[in-house]
Short mmCIF file of all heavy atoms in Angstrom, two decimals:
data_model
loop_
_atom_site.label_atom_id
_atom_site.label_comp_id
_atom_site.label_asym_id
_atom_site.label_seq_id
_atom_site.Cartn_x
_atom_site.Cartn_y
_atom_site.Cartn_z
N LEU U 327 103.25 101.90 74.68
CA LEU U 327 102.02 101.23 75.11
C LEU U 327 101.52 100.28 74.03
O LEU U 327 101.08 99.16 74.32
CB LEU U 327 100.95 102.27 75.44
CG LEU U 327 99.60 101.73 75.91
CD1 LEU U 327 99.77 100.91 77.19
CD2 LEU U 327 98.61 102.87 76.14
N SER U 328 101.60 100.72 72.77
CA SER U 328 101.18 99.85 71.66
C SER U 328 102.05 98.61 71.58
O SER U 328 101.57 97.50 71.32
CB SER U 328 101.23 100.63 70.34
OG SER U 328 100.32 101.70 70.34
N ILE U 329 103.35 98.80 71.82
CA ILE U 329 104.26 97.65 71.80
C ILE U 329 103.94 96.70 72.94
O ILE U 329 103.93 95.48 72.77
CB ILE U 329 105.72 98.13 71.86
CG1 ILE U 329 106.09 98.81 70.54
CG2 ILE U 329 106.67 96.97 72.15
CD1 ILE U 329 107.47 99.43 70.53
N GLU U 330 103.68 97.25 74.12
CA GLU U 330 103.30 96.41 75.26
C GLU U 330 102.07 95.57 74.93
O GLU U 330 102.03 94.36 75.19
CB GLU U 330 103.02 97.27 76.49
CG GLU U 330 104.25 97.85 77.14
CD GLU U 330 103.91 98.64 78.38
OE1 GLU U 330 102.73 98.61 78.81
OE2 GLU U 330 104.81 99.30 78.95
N ASN U 331 101.05 96.23 74.37
CA ASN U 331 99.82 95.50 74.02
C ASN U 331 100.07 94.49 72.91
O ASN U 331 99.54 93.37 72.93
CB ASN U 331 98.74 96.49 73.59
CG ASN U 331 98.28 97.38 74.73
OD1 ASN U 331 98.35 96.98 75.89
ND2 ASN U 331 97.82 98.57 74.42
N GLY U 332 100.91 94.88 71.93
CA GLY U 332 101.19 93.98 70.82
C GLY U 332 101.97 92.75 71.25
O GLY U 332 101.76 91.65 70.72
N LEU U 333 102.86 92.92 72.24
CA LEU U 333 103.65 91.78 72.71
C LEU U 333 102.79 90.69 73.31
O LEU U 333 103.12 89.50 73.21
CB LEU U 333 104.67 92.26 73.76
CG LEU U 333 105.96 92.87 73.23
CD1 LEU U 333 106.76 93.51 74.35
CD2 LEU U 333 106.80 91.82 72.52
N ARG U 334 101.67 91.09 73.92
CA ARG U 334 100.80 90.10 74.56
C ARG U 334 100.14 89.18 73.53
O ARG U 334 99.73 88.08 73.85
CB ARG U 334 99.72 90.81 75.39
CG ARG U 334 100.27 91.61 76.56
CD ARG U 334 99.14 92.17 77.42
NE ARG U 334 99.66 92.90 78.55
CZ ARG U 334 99.84 94.21 78.58
NH1 ARG U 334 99.53 94.93 77.52
NH2 ARG U 334 100.31 94.82 79.65
N ARG U 335 100.05 89.66 72.28
CA ARG U 335 99.37 88.86 71.25
C ARG U 335 100.32 88.43 70.13
O ARG U 335 99.89 87.82 69.16
CB ARG U 335 98.22 89.67 70.65
CG ARG U 335 97.19 90.12 71.66
CD ARG U 335 96.02 90.83 71.00
NE ARG U 335 96.43 92.08 70.38
CZ ARG U 335 96.47 93.26 70.99
NH1 ARG U 335 96.13 93.34 72.26
NH2 ARG U 335 96.84 94.35 70.35
N ALA U 336 101.59 88.77 70.27
CA ALA U 336 102.53 88.53 69.17
C ALA U 336 102.68 87.05 68.84
O ALA U 336 102.69 86.66 67.66
CB ALA U 336 103.90 89.12 69.53
N LEU U 337 102.78 86.20 69.85
CA LEU U 337 102.92 84.77 69.59
C LEU U 337 101.66 84.19 68.96
O LEU U 337 101.74 83.39 68.02
CB LEU U 337 103.25 84.03 70.89
CG LEU U 337 104.66 84.28 71.47
CD1 LEU U 337 104.82 83.54 72.79
CD2 LEU U 337 105.73 83.84 70.49
N ASP U 338 100.50 84.60 69.49
CA ASP U 338 99.24 84.08 68.94
C ASP U 338 99.06 84.49 67.48
O ASP U 338 98.43 83.77 66.70
CB ASP U 338 98.06 84.59 69.77
CG ASP U 338 98.07 84.04 71.19
OD1 ASP U 338 98.66 82.97 71.39
OD2 ASP U 338 97.50 84.69 72.09
N ARG U 339 99.59 85.63 67.11
CA ARG U 339 99.44 86.12 65.73
C ARG U 339 100.58 85.66 64.82
O ARG U 339 100.66 86.10 63.67
CB ARG U 339 99.40 87.65 65.75
CG ARG U 339 98.15 88.23 66.40
CD ARG U 339 98.22 89.75 66.43
NE ARG U 339 96.97 90.33 66.90
CZ ARG U 339 96.78 91.63 67.10
NH1 ARG U 339 97.75 92.49 66.84
NH2 ARG U 339 95.62 92.09 67.53
N ASN U 340 101.47 84.84 65.34
CA ASN U 340 102.61 84.33 64.57
C ASN U 340 103.48 85.45 64.02
O ASN U 340 104.00 85.38 62.90
CB ASN U 340 102.12 83.44 63.41
CG ASN U 340 101.41 82.19 63.89
OD1 ASN U 340 101.86 81.55 64.84
ND2 ASN U 340 100.29 81.86 63.28
N GLU U 341 103.64 86.52 64.82
CA GLU U 341 104.46 87.65 64.40
C GLU U 341 105.93 87.48 64.82
O GLU U 341 106.79 88.19 64.32
CB GLU U 341 103.92 88.95 65.01
CG GLU U 341 102.54 89.34 64.53
CD GLU U 341 102.01 90.59 65.21
OE1 GLU U 341 102.61 91.04 66.20
OE2 GLU U 341 100.98 91.13 64.75
N VAL U 342 106.18 86.55 65.73
CA VAL U 342 107.54 86.36 66.25
C VAL U 342 108.21 85.20 65.51
O VAL U 342 107.58 84.19 65.24
CB VAL U 342 107.49 86.07 67.77
CG1 VAL U 342 108.91 85.92 68.32
CG2 VAL U 342 106.77 87.19 68.50
N ARG U 343 109.47 85.39 65.20
CA ARG U 343 110.24 84.31 64.56
C ARG U 343 111.63 84.26 65.19
O ARG U 343 112.06 85.19 65.88
CB ARG U 343 110.33 84.50 63.06
CG ARG U 343 111.03 85.79 62.65
CD ARG U 343 110.89 86.05 61.16
NE ARG U 343 111.51 87.32 60.77
CZ ARG U 343 112.76 87.43 60.34
NH1 ARG U 343 113.52 86.33 60.23
NH2 ARG U 343 113.25 88.60 60.00
N VAL U 344 112.32 83.17 64.95
CA VAL U 344 113.68 82.99 65.48
C VAL U 344 114.63 82.89 64.30
O VAL U 344 114.39 82.17 63.34
CB VAL U 344 113.77 81.72 66.35
CG1 VAL U 344 115.20 81.53 66.86
CG2 VAL U 344 112.80 81.81 67.51
N VAL U 345 115.74 83.65 64.40
CA VAL U 345 116.81 83.55 63.41
C VAL U 345 118.06 83.05 64.13
O VAL U 345 118.14 83.11 65.36
CB VAL U 345 117.08 84.89 62.71
CG1 VAL U 345 115.89 85.28 61.85
CG2 VAL U 345 117.37 85.99 63.73
N TYR U 346 119.04 82.59 63.36
CA TYR U 346 120.20 81.92 63.95
C TYR U 346 121.48 82.51 63.38
O TYR U 346 121.64 82.62 62.15
CB TYR U 346 120.14 80.42 63.69
CG TYR U 346 118.88 79.78 64.24
CD1 TYR U 346 117.71 79.72 63.47
CD2 TYR U 346 118.85 79.28 65.54
CE1 TYR U 346 116.54 79.16 63.99
CE2 TYR U 346 117.69 78.73 66.06
CZ TYR U 346 116.54 78.68 65.28
OH TYR U 346 115.40 78.13 65.80
N GLN U 347 122.40 82.88 64.26
CA GLN U 347 123.70 83.37 63.83
C GLN U 347 124.75 82.32 64.18
O GLN U 347 124.90 81.94 65.35
CB GLN U 347 124.05 84.71 64.48
CG GLN U 347 125.34 85.32 63.92
CD GLN U 347 125.55 86.74 64.38
OE1 GLN U 347 125.27 87.08 65.52
NE2 GLN U 347 126.08 87.58 63.48
N PRO U 348 125.49 81.86 63.18
CA PRO U 348 126.47 80.78 63.44
C PRO U 348 127.67 81.27 64.24
O PRO U 348 128.03 82.45 64.23
CB PRO U 348 126.88 80.34 62.04
CG PRO U 348 126.61 81.53 61.16
CD PRO U 348 125.42 82.22 61.76
N LYS U 349 128.31 80.34 64.93
CA LYS U 349 129.57 80.55 65.62
C LYS U 349 130.59 79.59 65.01
O LYS U 349 130.26 78.44 64.71
CB LYS U 349 129.44 80.27 67.12
CG LYS U 349 128.41 81.12 67.83
CD LYS U 349 128.31 80.70 69.30
CE LYS U 349 127.21 81.44 70.01
NZ LYS U 349 127.09 81.02 71.44
N ALA U 350 131.81 80.07 64.88
CA ALA U 350 132.85 79.23 64.27
C ALA U 350 134.12 79.29 65.09
O ALA U 350 134.38 80.25 65.82
CB ALA U 350 133.12 79.67 62.83
N GLU U 351 134.96 78.25 64.94
CA GLU U 351 136.27 78.25 65.58
C GLU U 351 137.17 79.26 64.87
O GLU U 351 137.18 79.34 63.63
CB GLU U 351 136.89 76.85 65.50
CG GLU U 351 136.15 75.81 66.33
CD GLU U 351 136.75 74.43 66.20
OE1 GLU U 351 137.46 74.19 65.18
OE2 GLU U 351 136.51 73.59 67.08
N CYS U 352 137.91 80.01 65.67
CA CYS U 352 138.78 81.02 65.07
C CYS U 352 139.88 80.38 64.22
O CYS U 352 140.22 80.88 63.14
CB CYS U 352 139.41 81.88 66.17
SG CYS U 352 138.25 82.96 67.02
N GLN U 353 140.47 79.28 64.68
CA GLN U 353 141.62 78.68 64.00
C GLN U 353 141.23 77.94 62.73
O GLN U 353 141.95 77.99 61.74
CB GLN U 353 142.34 77.73 64.96
CG GLN U 353 142.80 78.39 66.26
CD GLN U 353 143.73 79.56 66.04
OE1 GLN U 353 144.52 79.57 65.10
NE2 GLN U 353 143.63 80.57 66.90
N THR U 354 140.08 77.24 62.75
CA THR U 354 139.71 76.38 61.62
C THR U 354 138.57 76.95 60.76
O THR U 354 138.41 76.52 59.61
CB THR U 354 139.28 75.01 62.13
OG1 THR U 354 138.07 75.15 62.89
CG2 THR U 354 140.37 74.40 63.01
N GLY U 355 137.79 77.85 61.31
CA GLY U 355 136.62 78.37 60.60
C GLY U 355 135.45 77.41 60.61
O GLY U 355 134.41 77.68 59.98
N LYS U 356 135.57 76.31 61.33
CA LYS U 356 134.50 75.32 61.39
C LYS U 356 133.33 75.85 62.23
O LYS U 356 133.53 76.36 63.32
CB LYS U 356 135.02 74.03 62.01
CG LYS U 356 133.98 72.95 62.21
CD LYS U 356 134.57 71.75 62.93
CE LYS U 356 133.52 70.69 63.21
NZ LYS U 356 134.09 69.54 63.97
N ILE U 357 132.13 75.73 61.68
CA ILE U 357 130.93 76.15 62.42
C ILE U 357 130.66 75.14 63.53
O ILE U 357 130.50 73.94 63.27
CB ILE U 357 129.72 76.27 61.49
CG1 ILE U 357 129.93 77.39 60.47
CG2 ILE U 357 128.43 76.54 62.29
CD1 ILE U 357 128.83 77.53 59.45
N VAL U 358 130.63 75.62 64.76
CA VAL U 358 130.46 74.72 65.90
C VAL U 358 129.22 75.04 66.73
O VAL U 358 128.90 74.32 67.68
CB VAL U 358 131.71 74.78 66.82
CG1 VAL U 358 132.92 74.18 66.13
CG2 VAL U 358 131.97 76.21 67.27
N GLY U 359 128.53 76.11 66.40
CA GLY U 359 127.35 76.45 67.18
C GLY U 359 126.52 77.53 66.50
O GLY U 359 126.86 78.03 65.42
N MET U 360 125.43 77.89 67.14
CA MET U 360 124.56 78.94 66.62
C MET U 360 123.85 79.62 67.79
O MET U 360 123.54 78.98 68.80
CB MET U 360 123.54 78.36 65.65
CG MET U 360 122.64 77.30 66.26
SD MET U 360 121.49 76.61 65.06
CE MET U 360 120.57 75.45 66.07
N GLU U 361 123.62 80.91 67.63
CA GLU U 361 122.88 81.66 68.64
C GLU U 361 121.48 81.96 68.12
O GLU U 361 121.33 82.49 67.01
CB GLU U 361 123.59 82.98 68.99
CG GLU U 361 122.84 83.78 70.04
CD GLU U 361 123.55 85.08 70.42
OE1 GLU U 361 124.62 85.36 69.86
OE2 GLU U 361 123.00 85.81 71.28
N ALA U 362 120.46 81.58 68.90
CA ALA U 362 119.07 81.85 68.52
C ALA U 362 118.71 83.27 68.93
O ALA U 362 118.87 83.66 70.09
CB ALA U 362 118.14 80.84 69.20
N LEU U 363 118.20 84.05 67.99
CA LEU U 363 117.84 85.45 68.22
C LEU U 363 116.39 85.68 67.82
O LEU U 363 115.94 85.19 66.78
CB LEU U 363 118.76 86.38 67.43
CG LEU U 363 120.26 86.25 67.76
CD1 LEU U 363 121.09 86.97 66.71
CD2 LEU U 363 120.54 86.81 69.15
N VAL U 364 115.66 86.40 68.63
CA VAL U 364 114.25 86.61 68.38
C VAL U 364 114.05 87.86 67.52
O VAL U 364 114.74 88.87 67.67
CB VAL U 364 113.47 86.74 69.72
CG1 VAL U 364 113.90 87.97 70.50
CG2 VAL U 364 111.96 86.77 69.48
N ARG U 365 113.09 87.77 66.63
CA ARG U 365 112.71 88.90 65.77
C ARG U 365 111.18 89.05 65.81
O ARG U 365 110.45 88.06 65.93
CB ARG U 365 113.17 88.67 64.32
CG ARG U 365 114.68 88.60 64.15
CD ARG U 365 115.32 89.94 64.40
NE ARG U 365 116.76 89.94 64.16
CZ ARG U 365 117.67 89.77 65.11
NH1 ARG U 365 117.27 89.57 66.37
NH2 ARG U 365 118.95 89.79 64.81
N TRP U 366 110.73 90.29 65.68
CA TRP U 366 109.29 90.57 65.76
C TRP U 366 108.91 91.57 64.67
O TRP U 366 109.48 92.65 64.60
CB TRP U 366 108.93 91.11 67.14
CG TRP U 366 107.47 91.46 67.32
CD1 TRP U 366 106.41 90.86 66.70
CD2 TRP U 366 106.92 92.47 68.16
NE1 TRP U 366 105.22 91.43 67.11
CE2 TRP U 366 105.51 92.42 68.01
CE3 TRP U 366 107.47 93.40 69.03
CZ2 TRP U 366 104.65 93.28 68.69
CZ3 TRP U 366 106.62 94.25 69.72
CH2 TRP U 366 105.23 94.19 69.56
N GLU U 367 107.94 91.18 63.87
CA GLU U 367 107.39 92.09 62.87
C GLU U 367 105.93 92.34 63.21
O GLU U 367 105.08 91.48 63.01
CB GLU U 367 107.53 91.51 61.46
CG GLU U 367 107.10 92.48 60.38
CD GLU U 367 107.58 92.08 58.99
OE1 GLU U 367 108.42 91.17 58.88
OE2 GLU U 367 107.12 92.69 58.02
N ASN U 368 105.64 93.53 63.74
CA ASN U 368 104.32 93.89 64.22
C ASN U 368 103.46 94.39 63.06
O ASN U 368 103.95 95.06 62.15
CB ASN U 368 104.44 94.96 65.31
CG ASN U 368 103.10 95.41 65.84
OD1 ASN U 368 102.62 96.46 65.48
ND2 ASN U 368 102.50 94.61 66.70
N GLU U 369 102.16 94.06 63.12
CA GLU U 369 101.26 94.45 62.02
C GLU U 369 101.09 95.96 61.94
O GLU U 369 100.78 96.51 60.88
CB GLU U 369 99.90 93.78 62.19
CG GLU U 369 99.16 94.18 63.46
CD GLU U 369 97.79 93.53 63.55
OE1 GLU U 369 97.51 92.61 62.77
OE2 GLU U 369 97.00 93.98 64.39
N GLU U 370 101.28 96.67 63.05
CA GLU U 370 101.12 98.13 63.06
C GLU U 370 102.42 98.85 62.73
O GLU U 370 102.44 99.79 61.92
CB GLU U 370 100.62 98.60 64.42
CG GLU U 370 100.46 100.11 64.53
CD GLU U 370 99.98 100.56 65.90
OE1 GLU U 370 99.74 99.68 66.77
OE2 GLU U 370 99.87 101.79 66.12
N PHE U 371 103.54 98.43 63.35
CA PHE U 371 104.79 99.15 63.21
C PHE U 371 105.79 98.49 62.27
O PHE U 371 106.83 99.07 61.98
CB PHE U 371 105.46 99.30 64.58
CG PHE U 371 104.64 100.10 65.57
CD1 PHE U 371 104.05 99.47 66.66
CD2 PHE U 371 104.45 101.46 65.40
CE1 PHE U 371 103.30 100.19 67.57
CE2 PHE U 371 103.70 102.18 66.30
CZ PHE U 371 103.12 101.56 67.38
N GLY U 372 105.49 97.28 61.83
CA GLY U 372 106.45 96.57 61.00
C GLY U 372 107.54 95.95 61.86
O GLY U 372 107.34 95.68 63.04
N PRO U 373 108.74 95.74 61.31
CA PRO U 373 109.85 95.16 62.10
C PRO U 373 110.23 96.08 63.26
O PRO U 373 110.43 97.28 63.07
CB PRO U 373 110.99 95.04 61.08
CG PRO U 373 110.33 95.07 59.74
CD PRO U 373 109.13 95.96 59.89
N ILE U 374 110.33 95.50 64.44
CA ILE U 374 110.71 96.25 65.63
C ILE U 374 112.01 95.68 66.16
O ILE U 374 112.14 94.46 66.34
CB ILE U 374 109.62 96.18 66.72
CG1 ILE U 374 108.31 96.75 66.18
CG2 ILE U 374 110.04 96.95 67.97
CD1 ILE U 374 107.15 96.65 67.16
N SER U 375 112.96 96.54 66.42
CA SER U 375 114.28 96.10 66.86
C SER U 375 114.19 95.41 68.23
O SER U 375 113.48 95.87 69.12
CB SER U 375 115.22 97.30 66.96
OG SER U 375 116.40 96.96 67.65
#
Side-chain angles (χ1 to χ4, degrees):
L327 180 61
S328 297
I329 290 175
E330 286 183 7
N331 293 332
L333 278 170
R334 296 186 178 95
R335 302 184 295 271
L337 289 178
D338 294 335
R339 292 177 173 176
N340 296 318
E341 295 177 348
V342 182
R343 61 190 178 92
V344 179
V345 293
Y346 302 88
Q347 187 170 38
K349 301 177 185 179
E351 293 178 339
C352 291
Q353 303 302 327
T354 66
K356 176 184 176 182
I357 295 176
V358 292
M360 59 182 181
E361 180 179 0
L363 300 167
V364 64
R365 296 291 184 264
W366 179 30
E367 186 165 349
N368 179 258
E369 62 177 13
E370 178 181 358
F371 298 110
I374 300 177
S375 168

